[in-house]
């Protein structure tokens, strides 16, 4: 520890009670990674403030000493966005876990950033309201983290992402000052900084308060489960449902390996001989659900489904979903480790992309289970591997990178909802050219001139992309002409 | 259908070199909005055409100069629409201008705003760089969300070349009902129904009646009408269109038209020197119009006390500020962002705020 680092610890000790500052290796270790455990690092310290004044003082001390700050919610992120770097202070917002106001007239809830996603819906359930975005980590993940990642969920085709469901933010800036963006009104004046903060992965500011939009609970939700003997037909049916003028609340797809794993784990009666299943949920008033469900069933039959089941009550609806929701842990039983990818593609490209993934799967000798937010084209191929086998993780990461590059090639993106973090920095070089990356860095600079907020995440440096050699080629021109190449 | 992007880029580069300010123009249908801009016109009107439309993907990619009417016709063929119901304010209205203004219609509180449906865009920044942000897929969190930042930035950060948008299907049935209610009563009634799952897609009040538009399947519409009550309003379609386009008699007035963006249930309390008939309430209470000669500072103070903002939408003195002032630290961020996109200060300088 150098003298600058010693000084910052002394400063933090003056701000926080002893129990709110972690500095020993044993205490720091639980914070060494987020949900992406293949990337790890130990921070200098973890600060757990309880008041805004403490958080402000911490930021001011770090800014003065030019010590990086990594804000952290529940640490459920899947891209290493909250992974500590050496010499950085982790600012945990876990203790900011109060619901500050529920406004049933304006249909808003104002909460602290450490409030867990699901807790908001639970707190307003008695009013027949809920908070719509439901990332699969919603039991554990916090709303502050949801803002930082612009989290999605199973229902975002109809109800949008976090950015569509947040009306206001309070941000602690790198200068230690707090500013407000939005509030309870719908539209705001000035630039849409509210949107810009969403998905900015802690690089622009620290979220210290969130006002979310609450929605009335639908009267009824029903889900149709359709089995297919062919993945392509299943993929086709997804487009057919949309073309029939239906906007499902959720529209999911799983392939054979994922179905078998889910059924073996959750015992929910999935058709284990199917090559793919499609789950289509419709919600709304009782009348409209009845109308739409009849239409969905018809479309799925016409698309060649070998079996179509519709949930008859809430127990059965939850059962149909239970398999899908358990897909990740279920797949986790098939191999010692799995690596979850998060690319988004135009839905029409699904058969092409799945075919290519299975070809690579053979070539790499790594099985892949596919679960897919089919409605919005967000795919989660789960690559099965064994980290204890020498070289297998490297092979897995190379396979993953190829999948992401393929997503970009077919007109999609390297991350639909998990974010870039440290995981997809190289893939960012494929998705964006030097000019776009420079603009991102300039935006970062406008908020954080010294580069102290979560540095080294989300946006790669131009040098990194140039050195990587696997570069974005735009209109046949090689990017970064200003950089020397060796 | 012409691709003028190379020409536009060359124009911006040249203007940047000479530090010549530009005034970006699409269909010129919203030239009255925001502050006056002094600059050489940069016309996007002929940079038009639908680049990609995939009904099954619910996505549309169009050049900025494409007319809204052309887009509406193309979507209509597949029984789809722009979900945010944009106002035209003139036949020549383009998608570029609409997104630059972030204009949304009566459906906005229930469907979302223009910015909510922005998926990606190509722009030219003030340095003359052609940049691509976002994408043509629904979910995309790679890089900062510059696409949405562009929406509502009034051309001060970049020239929009094309935009990718999420579209949605039409609803099959639509009805409008009206109930007699004062403004205060209307707010209470609108708030009550907003908290139910009924498929209401527009609510407004003129101070005599509160109006509801209900869209959905036939059976859902019939049932909702019964529950909400009131009388069926035969001229519903025209009412919402006229409200969207500011063609209701209410809007025929030379005084400055204020747009107040408020929490939807904010109480209706009039201002001194303002008549009840000077108000019109839209967006279920979240957008309120006021015709008044009062200065912006007074109306903004009123809006702020209710948790929102006030801006002059039309008929103001366009040399003065038109939009609610930003807090100092937020304005400082705006200026640094402006400098990062437009260091030579050539793009629509002063259209939003004097110092931007």
């Amino acid at each position: 520890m150098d003298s600058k680092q010693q000084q910052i610890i002394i400063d933090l000790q003056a701000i926080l009670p002893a129990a709110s500052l972690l500095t020993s290796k044993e205490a720091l270790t639980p914070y060494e990674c987020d949900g992406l455990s293949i990337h790890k690092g130990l921070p200098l310290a973890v600060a757990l403030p309880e008041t805004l004044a403490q958080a402000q003082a911490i930021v001011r001390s770090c800014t003065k000493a030019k010590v990086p700050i990594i804000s952290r919610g529940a640490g459920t992120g899947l891209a290493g966005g909250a992974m500590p770097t050496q010499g950085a202070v982790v600012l945990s917002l876990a203790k900011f876990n109060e619901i500050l106001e529920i406004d049933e007239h304006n249909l808003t809830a104002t909460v602290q950033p450490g409030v867990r996603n699901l807790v908001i819906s639970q707190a307003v359930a008695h009013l027949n309201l809920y908070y719509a975005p439901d990332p699969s980590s919603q039991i554990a993940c916090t709303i502050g983290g949801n803002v930082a990642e612009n989290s999605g969920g199973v229902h975002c085709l109809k109800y949008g992402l976090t950015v569509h469901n947040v009306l206001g933010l309070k941000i602690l800036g790198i200068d230690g000052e707090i500013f407000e963006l939005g509030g309870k009104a719908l539209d705001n004046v000035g630039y849409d900084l509210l949107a810009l903060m969403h998905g900015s992965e802690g690089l622009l500011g620290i979220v210290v308060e969130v006002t979310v939009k609450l929605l009335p609970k639908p009267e009824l939700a029903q889900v149709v489960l359709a089995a297919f003997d062919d993945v392509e037909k299943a993929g086709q049916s997804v487009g057919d449902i949309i073309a029939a003028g239906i906007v499902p609340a959720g529209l999911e797809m799983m392939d054979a390996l994922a179905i078998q794993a889910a059924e073996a784990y959750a015992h929910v009666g999935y058709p284990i001989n199917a090559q793919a299943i499609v789950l289509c949920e419709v919600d709304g008033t009782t009348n409209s659900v009845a109308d739409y469900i009849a239409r969905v069933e018809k479309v799925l039959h016409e698309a060649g489904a070998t079996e179509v089941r519709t949930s008859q009550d809430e127990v059965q609806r939850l059962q149909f979903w239970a398999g899908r929701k358990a897909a990740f842990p279920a797949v986790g039983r098939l191999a010692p480790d799995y690596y979850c990818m998060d690319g988004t593609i135009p839905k029409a490209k699904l058969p092409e992309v799945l075919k290519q993934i299975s070809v690579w799967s053979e070539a790499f000798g790594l099985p892949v289970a596919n679960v897919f937010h089919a409605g919005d084209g967000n795919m989660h191929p789960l690559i099965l591997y064994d980290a204890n086998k020498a070289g297998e993780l490297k092979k897995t990461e190379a396979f993953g990178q190829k999948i992401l590059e393929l997503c970009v090639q077919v007109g999609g993106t390297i991350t639909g909802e998990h974010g870039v973090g440290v995981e997809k920095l190289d893939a960012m070089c494929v998705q964006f050219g030097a000019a776009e990356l420079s603009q991102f860095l300039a935006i970062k600079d406008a908020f954080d001139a010294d580069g102290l907020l979560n540095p080294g995440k989300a946006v790669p440096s131009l040098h990194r992309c140039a050195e990587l050699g696997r570069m974005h080629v735009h209109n046949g021109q090689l990017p970064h002409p200003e950089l020397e190449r060796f | 259908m012409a691709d003028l992007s190379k020409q536009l880029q060359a124009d911006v580069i040249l203007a940047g070199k000479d530090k010549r300010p530009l005034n970006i123009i699409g269909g010129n249908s919203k030239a009255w909005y925001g502050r006056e801009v002094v600059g050489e016109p940069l016309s996007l009107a002929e940079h038009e055409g639908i680049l990609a439309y995939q009904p099954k993907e619910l996505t549309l990619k169009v050049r900025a100069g494409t007319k809204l009417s052309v887009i509406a016709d193309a979507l209509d063929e597949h029984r789809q629409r722009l979900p945010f119901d944009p106002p035209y304010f003139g036949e020549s209205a383009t998608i570029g201008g609409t997104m630059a203004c972030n204009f949304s219609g009566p459906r906005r509180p229930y469907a979302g705003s223009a910015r909510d449906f922005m998926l990606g865009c190509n722009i030219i920044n003030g340095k003359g760089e052609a940049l691509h942000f976002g994408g043509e897929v629904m979910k995309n969190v790679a890089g900062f969300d510059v696409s949405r930042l562009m929406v509502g930035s009034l051309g001060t950060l970049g020239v929009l070349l094309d935009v990718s948008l999420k579209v949605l299907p039409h609803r099959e049935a639509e009805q409008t009902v009206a109930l007699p209610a004062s403004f205060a009563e209307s707010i209470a009634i609108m708030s009550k129904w907003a908290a139910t799952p009924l498929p209401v897609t527009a609510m407004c009040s003129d101070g005599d009646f509160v109006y509801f538009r209900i869209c959905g399947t036939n059976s859902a519409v019939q049932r909702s009408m019964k529950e909400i009550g009131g009388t069926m309003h035969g001229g519903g379609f025209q009412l919402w269109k006229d409200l969207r386009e500011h063609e209701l008699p209410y809007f025929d007035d030379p005084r400055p038209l204020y747009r107040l963006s408020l929490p939807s249930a904010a109480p209706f309390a009039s201002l001194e020197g303002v008549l009840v008939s000077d108000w019109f309430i839209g967006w279920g209470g979240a957008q309120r119009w006021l015709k008044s000669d009062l200065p912006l500072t007074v109306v903004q103070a009123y809006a702020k006390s209710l948790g929102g903002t006030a801006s002059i939408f039309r008929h103001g003195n366009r040399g003065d500020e038109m939009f609610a002032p930003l807090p100092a630290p937020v304005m400082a961020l705006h200026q640094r962002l402006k400098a990062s996109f437009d260091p030579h200060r050539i793009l629509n300088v002063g259209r939003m705020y004097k110092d931007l």
Side-chain angles (χ1 to χ4, degrees):
Chain A
M1 205 184 283
D2 62 28
S3 62
K4 172 175 118 175
Q5 294 177 336
Q6 277 165 355
Q7 185 56 49
I8 193 76
I9 299 275
I10 293 169
D11 288 352
L12 296 181
Q13 280 167 341
I15 297 164
L16 294 167
S20 298
L21 183 66
L22 314 177
T23 53
S24 71
K25 186 163 184 284
E26 299 71 49
L28 295 177
T29 302
Y31 292 87
E32 69 181 354
C33 64
D34 59 14
L36 182 72
S37 56
I38 55 174
H39 294 281
K40 290 177 189 168
L42 272 190
L44 178 64
V46 174
L48 295 130
E50 283 172 50
T51 67
L52 275 182
Q54 287 173 346
Q56 286 179 285
I58 293 165
V59 168
R60 287 196 183 109
S61 294
C62 289
T63 302
K64 203 172 131 208
K66 302 227 184 304
V67 168
I69 304 166
I70 297 163
S71 50
R72 181 183 174 108
T76 56
L78 291 171
M83 186 201 85
T85 43
Q86 225 188 354
V89 168
V90 169
L91 180 64
S92 166
L93 295 144
K95 291 187 178 176
F96 290 88
N97 60 0
E98 300 222 356
I99 293 176
L100 301 172
E101 187 201 27
I102 292 166
D103 183 343
E104 58 182 298
H105 302 292
N106 287 304
L107 304 182
T108 63
T110 300
V111 304
Q112 290 188 315
V115 170
R116 289 178 293 121
N117 173 297
L118 190 60
V119 167
I120 302 175
S121 290
Q122 287 167 345
V124 297
H126 66 286
L127 299 167
N128 255 326
L129 300 171
Y130 76 114
Y131 172 65
D134 57 343
S136 41
S137 54
Q138 72 177 147
I139 299 172
C141 65
T142 62
I143 191 72
N146 289 176
V147 171
E149 301 294 338
N150 192 16
S151 306
V154 173
H155 291 96
C156 53
L157 176 64
K158 184 169 179 183
Y159 295 105
L161 307 160
T162 305
V163 69
H164 300 109
N165 290 279
V166 168
L167 294 171
L169 290 176
K170 264 190 200 167
I171 303 290
L172 171 54
I174 191 64
D175 58 359
E177 297 300 317
I178 290 169
F179 58 91
E180 286 181 49
L181 302 172
K184 290 183 185 174
L186 294 179
D187 280 6
N188 303 297
V189 293
Y191 295 150
D192 199 338
L193 302 188
L194 189 62
L196 189 62
M197 291 307 300
H198 282 82
S200 64
E201 304 194 22
L203 267 74
L204 305 181
I206 297 160
V207 175
V208 291
E209 195 178 297
V210 187
T211 298
V212 301
K213 189 159 89 177
L214 302 173
L215 296 181
K217 266 196 242 172
E219 268 176 7
L220 179 67
Q222 265 183 298
V223 61
V224 181
L225 185 159
F228 288 87
D229 57 11
D230 177 66
V231 174
E232 204 157 324
K233 278 191 221 163
Q236 188 70 34
S237 77
V238 168
D240 294 346
I241 291 171
I242 304 286
I246 298 157
V247 183
L251 187 50
E252 298 283 310
M253 192 172 142
M254 296 164 76
D255 74 357
L257 188 54
I259 297 167
Q260 289 155 19
E263 180 55 26
Y265 181 85
H267 310 293
V268 286
Y270 279 1
I272 47 169
N273 294 320
Q275 286 305 302
I277 60 169
V278 168
L279 289 162
C280 177
E281 179 163 293
V282 176
D283 68 8
T285 56
T286 44
N287 324 52
S288 63
V289 171
D291 293 345
Y292 284 124
I293 284 287
R295 259 183 262 179
V296 169
E297 288 171 341
K298 183 162 173 279
V299 169
L300 288 167
H301 277 300
E302 284 170 1
T306 52
E307 188 193 345
V308 176
R309 301 179 209 165
T310 302
S311 67
Q312 296 305 316
D313 53 37
E314 196 58 11
V315 174
Q316 204 173 19
R317 183 181 79 89
L318 295 175
Q319 198 180 19
F320 281 11
W321 278 117
R324 165 63 187 87
K325 293 203 167 176
F328 285 22
V331 167
R333 302 202 311 175
L334 300 181
D337 301 280
Y338 70 84
Y339 189 38
C340 174
M341 309 306 297
D342 171 47
T344 303
I345 56 169
K347 288 187 281 287
K349 303 285 185 185
L350 179 67
E352 178 188 336
V353 170
L354 286 182
K355 218 172 273 172
Q356 183 60 59
I357 290 177
S358 78
V359 169
W360 282 333
S361 170
E362 294 247 330
F364 278 99
L366 298 168
V368 177
N370 282 289
V371 291
F372 189 55
H373 300 305
D376 37 40
N378 189 194
M379 51 194 303
H380 292 312
L382 304 166
I383 306 173
L384 308 183
Y385 71 103
D386 182 353
N388 288 327
K389 278 192 199 158
E392 196 145 305
L393 173 61
K394 266 213 143 58
K395 212 163 67 168
T396 302
E397 287 184 290
F399 184 5
Q401 178 76 16
K402 276 180 103 75
I403 293 175
L404 297 184
E405 285 173 22
L406 178 63
C407 290
V408 176
Q409 271 169 32
V410 300
T413 172
I414 56 166
T415 173
E417 56 184 359
H418 294 173
V420 173
V422 290
E423 183 200 20
K424 297 182 199 86
L425 284 170
D426 289 347
M428 283 289 282
C429 307
V430 178
Q431 177 128 23
F432 293 104
E436 284 87 2
L437 294 173
S438 300
Q439 187 66 66
F440 288 148
L441 295 168
I443 292 171
K444 164 79 169 154
D445 198 54
F447 283 79
D448 173 25
D450 290 330
L452 296 176
L453 289 168
N454 212 9
K457 312 282 176 64
V459 183
S461 68
L462 298 185
H463 278 280
R464 182 187 180 115
C465 290
E467 277 166 20
L468 191 68
R470 184 172 36 211
M471 281 171 295
H472 177 84
V473 178
H474 186 65
N475 294 336
Q477 286 173 326
L478 211 59
H480 325 307
E482 75 282 9
L483 297 177
E484 282 182 280
R485 291 200 180 80
F486 303 99
Chain B
M1 176 122 175
D3 179 4
L4 302 184
S5 48
K6 287 278 170 260
Q7 183 56 47
L8 291 163
Q9 191 178 1
D11 290 347
V12 174
I13 290 172
L14 217 62
K17 240 186 212 156
D18 310 342
K19 303 216 178 341
R20 261 184 300 118
L22 296 171
N23 180 15
I24 308 164
I25 297 172
N28 212 25
S29 58
K30 304 175 222 326
W32 42 265
Y33 187 64
R35 299 181 68 257
E36 194 114 49
V37 172
V38 181
E40 212 171 293
L42 182 75
S43 175
L44 272 287
E46 283 170 32
H47 182 66
E48 51 92 33
I50 294 175
L51 297 172
Y53 171 36
Q54 315 283 355
K56 287 189 178 186
E57 304 281 341
L58 296 176
T59 57
L60 170 79
K61 183 178 182 183
V62 282
R63 291 209 181 98
T66 314
K67 285 187 183 177
L68 286 183
S69 56
V70 170
I71 294 172
D73 288 347
L75 293 176
D76 209 38
E77 244 176 76
H78 295 272
R79 297 204 37 77
Q80 295 186 340
R81 60 186 166 84
L82 292 178
F84 53 97
D85 197 12
Y88 285 51
F89 298 130
E91 256 316 295
S92 61
T94 64
I95 190 68
T98 300
M99 299 311 281
C101 294
N102 191 22
F103 278 173
S104 317
R107 193 181 270 114
R108 190 260 180 263
Y110 320 98
S113 64
R115 79 75 124 137
D116 287 334
F117 293 93
M118 182 76 154
L119 298 175
C121 59
N122 278 290
I123 67 163
I124 302 168
N125 67 8
K127 293 188 258 184
E129 296 169 326
L131 307 175
H132 176 65
F133 295 106
E136 286 153 60
V137 289
M138 303 277 174
K139 281 162 95 179
N140 186 354
V141 289
F144 297 132
D145 196 347
V146 176
S147 312
R148 287 201 176 86
L149 179 66
M150 296 306 295
V151 183
S153 64
L154 295 179
T156 60
L157 296 177
V159 180
L160 277 176
L161 287 177
D162 54 62
V163 296
S164 296
L165 303 170
K166 177 179 173 180
V167 300
L168 283 176
H170 274 304
R171 292 293 186 212
E172 41 247 71
E174 175 181 317
Q175 288 292 347
T176 297
V177 291
L179 285 79
S182 68
F183 281 127
E185 289 163 347
S186 296
I187 286 168
I189 297 171
M190 291 189 292
S191 300
K192 176 183 146 198
W193 291 110
T196 71
L198 295 188
V200 172
T201 64
M203 295 193 262
C204 73
S205 170
D206 59 9
D208 294 321
F209 286 90
V210 56
Y211 301 89
F212 293 84
R213 180 174 65 191
I214 307 150
C215 298
T217 60
N218 257 315
S219 59
V221 170
Q222 294 309 322
R223 186 198 127 188
S224 305
M225 283 175 63
K226 225 180 265 166
E227 284 192 29
I228 293 174
T231 51
M232 199 156 100
H233 185 70
F237 180 80
Q238 198 62 35
L239 166 74
W240 300 111
K241 183 167 176 288
D242 287 348
L243 170 58
R244 188 187 75 194
E245 299 300 331
H246 285 192
E247 282 168 1
L248 291 173
Y250 167 86
F251 293 99
D252 188 11
D253 196 297
R255 286 177 292 171
L257 177 67
Y258 279 93
R259 175 190 183 213
L260 285 79
S261 181
L262 303 178
S264 53
F268 178 76
S270 207
L271 263 162
E272 210 180 305
V274 167
L275 301 173
V276 169
S277 60
D278 291 335
W279 289 96
F280 193 100
I281 298 184
W283 287 5
Q287 175 166 264
R288 304 185 192 180
W289 302 101
L290 169 67
K291 302 180 287 193
S292 172
D293 289 313
L294 288 170
L296 176 61
T297 46
V298 172
V299 183
Q300 166 59 16
Y302 166 82
K304 198 177 171 189
S305 73
L306 293 169
T309 54
S311 298
I312 300 172
F313 194 77
R314 253 192 220 246
H315 307 313
N317 178 354
R318 300 184 62 218
D320 295 341
E321 294 293 9
M322 303 292 278
F323 299 104
L326 297 170
V330 178
M331 182 44 113
L333 280 174
H334 276 62
Q335 285 169 329
R336 292 200 293 271
L337 277 173
K338 167 77 173 171
S340 81
F341 278 88
D342 181 22
H344 310 304
R345 290 184 60 76
I346 54 167
L347 300 177
N348 276 12
V349 175
R351 182 91 189 235
M352 185 185 280
Y353 291 101
K354 231 178 240 173
D355 299 326
L356 211 62

